[in-house]
Amino acid sequence: MPDRSLGVPVRVDPRGPRFAAVLTTLVLILVLVTDSGVLLAAQAVVFALGVVLGLRWSPYGWLYRRLVRPRLGPPQELEDERPPRFAQAVGLAFAVVGAAGYLSGATWLGIAASAAALAAAFLNAAFGYCLGCELYLLAVRGRARLSRG
């Protein structure tokens, strides 16, 4: 795994998170069609691994590195991993809330949380617009403004 001890941001191929968003979109559609809290909990685990281990070491990142990237040319540029990793954390929060809703019988909560996560994943998959990444950048800017006083 990458060494983050030097404070140097990890850089990733931006096509990897978009590939993950496609898979996440498909999983979340299946969750909504089946009302499966178990499947949503499995997606939460995928999000959690991306948050804890980093995007390249998450299940979808691993699939991208092994199956997709070798068939593509090198990326034009690499991007900072922190914004899409934050987006994984946001997805994790929605997946945990949704799974809790489905598994506790509050199906409406499962549907609402899954639909919100689906909207964000679809934006990234279809248009390359990462809503969680934008939230990360807003938080960084807000923290910088607060520190300037």
Side-chain angles (χ1 to χ4, degrees), residues 128-149:
Y129 184 81
C130 177
L131 189 57
C133 299
E134 295 300 322
L135 290 174
Y136 174 85
L137 296 173
L138 282 173
V140 168
R141 286 185 206 119
R143 186 174 49 196
R145 283 188 195 125
L146 288 174
S147 69
R148 284 192 301 252

Side-chain angles (χ1 to χ4, degrees), residues 97-117:
V97 168
Y102 279 123
L103 297 172
S104 71
T107 305
W108 65 270
L109 182 58
I111 291 170
S114 298

Side-chain angles (χ1 to χ4, degrees), residues 15 74-78:
R15 299 170 296 184
Q76 297 292 326
E77 60 187 42
L78 299 176

Side-chain angles (χ1 to χ4, degrees), residues 12 25 41 52 57 60-61 64 79 112 126 138 140 147:
V12 295
T25 296
V52 172
W57 302 102
Y60 298 162
Y64 175 76
E79 70 179 13
L138 282 173
V140 168
S147 69

Side-chain angles (χ1 to χ4, degrees), residues 10-90:
V10 173
R11 313 235 355 122
V12 295
D13 181 343
R15 299 170 296 184
R18 194 160 181 189
F19 171 78
V22 169
L23 295 180
T24 300
T25 296
L26 296 172
V27 169
L28 293 172
I29 288 170
L30 193 56
V31 165
L32 287 167
V33 167
T34 63
D35 286 339
S36 176
V38 173
L39 182 57
L40 188 53
Q43 179 61 51
V45 170
V46 170
F47 284 139
L49 290 170
V51 171
V52 172
L53 301 177
L55 301 180
R56 295 178 337 158
W57 302 102
S58 72
Y60 298 162
W62 184 86
L63 284 172
Y64 175 76
R65 275 195 351 267
R66 295 286 185 185
L67 302 177
V68 178
R69 187 163 182 192
R71 290 165 174 73
L72 302 174
Q76 297 292 326
E77 60 187 42
L78 299 176
E79 70 179 13
D80 185 347
E81 180 188 49
R82 291 174 294 184
R85 197 166 174 180
F86 178 83
Q88 292 284 297
V90 173

